[in-house]
Amino acid sequence: MEDREWIVDQKRAFTSWVNLHLGKRSLSITDLMTDLSDGIMLCNLMEIISGKKISYTKNPKVKFQKVENLNNAVNFIKGEGVRLVAIGGEDFFAGEEKSIMGLIWTLILRYQIQAKLASIGDGNTSLLDFVQASLASLAATADVKVRNFTTDWKDGRAFCALVHRACPAAIDMKDVTDDAVANMNLAFAAAEEELDIPRVLDAQSIANSDKPDEKAVQTYVSLFVDPIKDQRGLYRQRSSTKSAGEVPPSPKPVEKVPALTRLGVLRRRLRVLAIDASRGEYSNAEPPATENDDDALTFAEQHTDALEAALAAEKDRSRATQERLEAALQSDAALREQLASLEKQLAESREREAATGNKLKDSEERLAQRDSELASTRAELDRLRAQSAEENERNAKELADARAQLEQLREQLRKTDETLAERTSEVGRLRAELNRLRSQGTASEGEQERLQRQLSEAQAESDRLRAEVAAAEARLAQDAAEASLLRSQLAASE
């Protein structure tokens, strides 16, 4: 069975079981995952199957009230001695499939299977033991062997035997064929009509499943415990009256099947198979309104040929259906192969997408790193530009100061040159005067010494001025070099 098919069968069975009990209050649900979310249906279910009252909000409006209802129901179940693990009201409110299905199965085990088996008191401690004991007499004659609640029910024979065991008149085991779907539809229809057991399983799904869902089958089979128990009671009653020598009371003995009841079985067989040999419709024939067995048997004999023809037509349709099913299965296998191939391609595509995503992520990280580095570089450039602007401003100021000093030095040099020229002229004049006096011999020795002293002083002053001029020129040259350097730096920074 595919992963989701068993869930569908199990949900169908569990929902039918819940509705079987809720119907006693004219209530029902359609979806286990959503219809229990406010706690009302769950509280009603627990009150019905336990026979006790639960306090809950009848018309919850907000989530808090709904979850409180659910928690009240869960706590009640725990108080009944049912062991629940990690299941709370929030799980039902959120529609947690695993938790909800687990709780419903726990309730079926406790209040349906275990309770019904305990009421029999025949020593059978499991549902499988009960079924095996009930069908033991049919194991050989009807080829019915039940060893599990999965594969042994696929052919429908066990279901028919179960119905026959609960109501012998409902199904004649001679009517059971090799058609699994037909067998199950016959059993389900008879159980619904004669025993009021709802049709909680899908015949097609059970027949086509490799392994039918065990819990779904057990849920359905457990509904036969009471009818079979009642049938056993009838046999025990008849046995006790026979041993006491009393006249058996009504109803009539089960072994004798009245003609009208047998005719009803034949008509139900026609309805289940949905056949009429000539028109392909349901048979509308009705038995005569009489309790006379001979009239009923005469009516049955008149419709025997139609029944046999209808059964033959149904077998032909079944074979055609089987052929179509086999073709569909082959097509399904091919589609599954294509699906597997597409899933593989999708997985590879996702792997490539993941690899591309990783590369993109790495690229984005590197880009972010580059952006960060660029931002740092821009910040550093802005800082250097600001620093350069400050240095340019400072250099411009220093250049202006240097120019001013240069002009000042040039002015000072010009004045020194003028003074030097004057002193040089003075020295020349004094030297000429001294030479004139010496040549005339008219100057006294004191006069000559005075002139000589003045000449020496003038010469010394002239030498000093020349030294100052040389120093000034050197400073001027240095200032010019510094000014040139400042110009170069200023131009470079700009």
Side-chain angles (χ1 to χ4, degrees), residues 383-393 395 492-494:
R383 187 187 65 79
L384 292 175
R385 283 175 176 171
Q387 182 179 352
S388 177
E390 293 177 357
E391 291 179 354
N392 289 343
E393 184 178 355
N395 290 338
S493 62
E494 292 175 351

Side-chain angles (χ1 to χ4, degrees), residues 83-133:
R83 185 171 179 269
L84 301 179
V85 180
I87 297 178
E90 288 284 354
D91 297 318
F92 279 79
F93 184 81
E96 290 291 339
E97 184 177 78
K98 184 177 180 180
S99 298
I100 295 173
M101 300 291 282
L103 178 61
I104 298 301
W105 173 242
T106 301
L107 296 179
I108 293 172
L109 279 176
R110 171 65 180 273
Y111 293 95
Q112 178 70 34
I113 299 176
Q114 295 174 1
K116 297 299 182 182
L117 292 177
S119 68
I120 297 176
D122 60 357
N124 291 318
T125 58
S126 72
L127 184 61
L128 185 60
D129 291 339
F130 171 80
V131 172
Q132 289 174 337

Side-chain angles (χ1 to χ4, degrees), residues 178-471:
D178 292 332
D179 189 333
V181 174
N183 290 341
M184 278 184 271
N185 282 330
L186 175 64
F188 296 162
E192 190 169 26
E193 292 181 10
E194 301 294 338
L195 304 173
D196 290 329
I197 295 177
R199 183 190 291 257
V200 305
L201 300 176
D202 181 75
Q204 198 74 42
S205 178
I206 298 296
N208 293 337
S209 173
D210 293 335
K211 186 178 181 182
D213 182 67
E214 184 176 19
K215 294 178 180 178
V217 174
Q218 286 190 67
T219 299
Y220 182 66
V221 172
S222 68
L223 300 176
F224 287 85
V225 174
D226 281 343
I228 291 177
K229 179 182 68 173
D230 295 340
Q231 186 66 25
R232 285 182 178 180
L234 180 59
Y235 276 115
R236 283 196 294 269
Q237 181 182 2
R238 293 183 63 255
S239 298
S240 63
T241 56
K242 280 185 177 181
S243 61
E246 300 176 359
V247 177
S250 297
K252 296 178 181 180
V254 176
E255 290 85 344
K256 181 181 179 180
V257 181
L260 284 177
T261 303
R262 176 62 182 151
L263 183 60
V265 173
L266 295 178
R267 287 171 52 243
R268 182 166 55 253
R269 175 71 173 176
L270 286 172
R271 287 200 302 275
V272 171
L273 297 176
I275 55 174
D276 182 275
S278 60
R279 297 186 300 276
E281 300 173 352
Y282 289 96
S283 175
N284 295 319
E286 294 292 338
T290 177
E291 292 296 330
N292 187 287
D293 287 356
D294 293 336
D295 292 342
L297 287 172
T298 300
F299 179 84
E301 290 172 356
Q302 292 174 353
H303 292 79
T304 299
D305 293 340
L307 175 60
E308 292 177 350
L311 291 175
E314 172 61 19
K315 289 182 179 179
D316 291 339
R317 281 194 291 272
S318 296
R319 283 193 293 270
T321 302
Q322 183 66 26
E323 292 175 357
R324 289 196 299 272
L325 178 60
E326 291 176 356
L329 289 175
Q330 293 177 356
S331 176
D332 181 66
L335 290 175
R336 291 182 187 279
E337 290 180 0
Q338 294 179 5
L339 179 60
S341 177
L342 291 174
E343 288 177 345
K344 182 179 179 181
Q345 294 176 10
L346 179 60
E348 293 175 352
S349 176
R350 286 176 176 172
E351 289 178 358
R352 290 193 297 270
E353 182 179 355
T356 303
N358 291 334
K359 292 180 180 179
L360 180 60
K361 183 178 180 181
D362 292 341
S363 299
E364 289 176 348
E365 290 177 353
R366 289 196 298 270
L367 182 59
Q369 184 178 358
R370 295 290 186 275
D371 289 340
S372 177
E373 292 175 354
L374 180 59
S376 299
T377 303
R378 285 175 177 171
E380 180 66 16
L381 181 59
D382 291 340
R383 187 187 65 79
L384 292 175
R385 283 175 176 171
Q387 182 179 352
S388 177
E390 293 177 357
E391 291 179 354
N392 289 343
E393 184 178 355
R394 186 170 56 254
N395 290 338
K397 184 178 179 181
E398 290 177 356
L399 180 59
D401 294 341
R403 286 176 176 172
Q405 291 177 2
L406 183 60
E407 291 299 328
Q408 185 179 359
L409 286 173
R410 284 175 176 171
E411 180 63 22
Q412 184 179 354
L413 181 60
R414 184 184 62 76
K415 291 180 179 181
T416 303
D417 285 341
E418 291 178 355
T419 304
L420 179 59
E422 291 177 356
R423 293 293 183 270
T424 302
S425 177
E426 180 68 19
V427 169
R429 187 185 63 77
L430 290 175
R431 187 176 283 117
E433 181 67 22
L434 181 60
N435 290 333
R436 184 183 64 80
L437 292 174
R438 283 178 177 174
S439 63
Q440 292 177 0
T442 57
S444 62
E445 186 176 348
E447 184 67 19
Q448 289 182 7
E449 290 178 356
R450 182 182 64 78
L451 290 173
Q452 187 63 40
R453 188 171 53 255
Q454 289 180 352
L455 179 61
S456 297
E457 291 177 355
Q459 186 65 42
E461 179 67 15
S462 178
D463 292 339
R464 185 185 65 79
L465 290 173
R466 283 193 179 91
E468 289 180 359
V469 169

